[in-house]
Amino acid sequence: KGVGLTHGNLRANLQALLVDTWEMTENDRLLHALPPHHLHGLGLGLYGTLYVGNATVFLERFDPSVVLHAFELQRISIFMGVPTMYHRMLDVEGNFDLTSIRVLTCGSAPLSPETFRRFQDRFGFTLIERYGLTETAINTSNPLHGEQKPGSVGLPLPGVDVGIFDPQTQRRLENGETGKIWVRGPNVFDGYWNNIEATALAFAGDWFRTGDLGAFSQDGYLSILGRIKELIIVG
């Protein structure tokens, strides 16, 4: 299914995530090692660079040793990765200078609390986990300043409403209750390309049904607890 993200969707999301939450500026240097053909590498990495106006160093492919050396050699301040990348960096022996690093973010798949803690112990940096979908771009993020909880994808971004709904009654649930994750806001796409039926099934009014299950803690941090629709990640 083709996802019809608009310029308005992307602009609203890049402002809320990169500028308002991660405080990216034109003085940052991003190391880009993600495949540039999906939302993470294209929408956040490349489009984010164009939106903020910062410098970006592109790598042809991900190699954990190359990445760790590039942090120092290129004076990188921001890196966006997926859990497997950070897990593989932990296997690289040696000492590395990460003093230029300001933000290390993680998404596209669940980050285990073990990898979160091991990376923090080894390199002294907390990975900032966030949660998004192609249809909505990014919905939540752990804060840059404040508590960053392992196993949680953080707080809703400015202007984004994330709700937990009962699977049977469709009633919006309170913090601590598990249910279906629905999202609404300026980041949510208009519909699937030339697919009216799929679009109608995906929305409940202005709420987008993500297909994910989750719950908010009492202090408002979201945890992803499962999926209604199965998704197999093969690479």
Side-chain angles (χ1 to χ4, degrees), residues 158-222:
V160 180
D161 191 6
V162 180
I164 306 297
F165 289 81
D166 184 277
Q168 275 71 49
T169 66
Q170 315 305 323
R171 175 180 63 87
R172 190 167 186 173
L173 301 175
E174 302 294 330
N175 288 355
E177 298 182 282
T178 300
K180 299 186 293 187
I181 302 174
W182 292 2
V183 179
R184 64 182 176 184
N187 56 309
V188 178
F189 78 139
D190 290 333
Y192 294 107
W193 183 257
N194 291 333
N195 197 331
I196 297 173
E197 294 81 7
T199 300
L201 290 173
F203 283 88
D206 59 349
W207 288 99
F208 173 70
R209 312 171 193 254
T210 68
D212 292 320
L213 297 170
F216 280 106
S217 64
Q218 293 302 324
D219 53 355
Y221 282 71
L222 178 67

Side-chain angles (χ1 to χ4, degrees), residues 142-143 146-149 152 154-155 215-223:
N142 274 273
E147 186 176 6
Q148 294 143 358
K149 293 188 176 183
S152 167
L155 307 163
F216 280 106
S217 64
Q218 293 302 324
D219 53 355
Y221 282 71
L222 178 67
S223 293

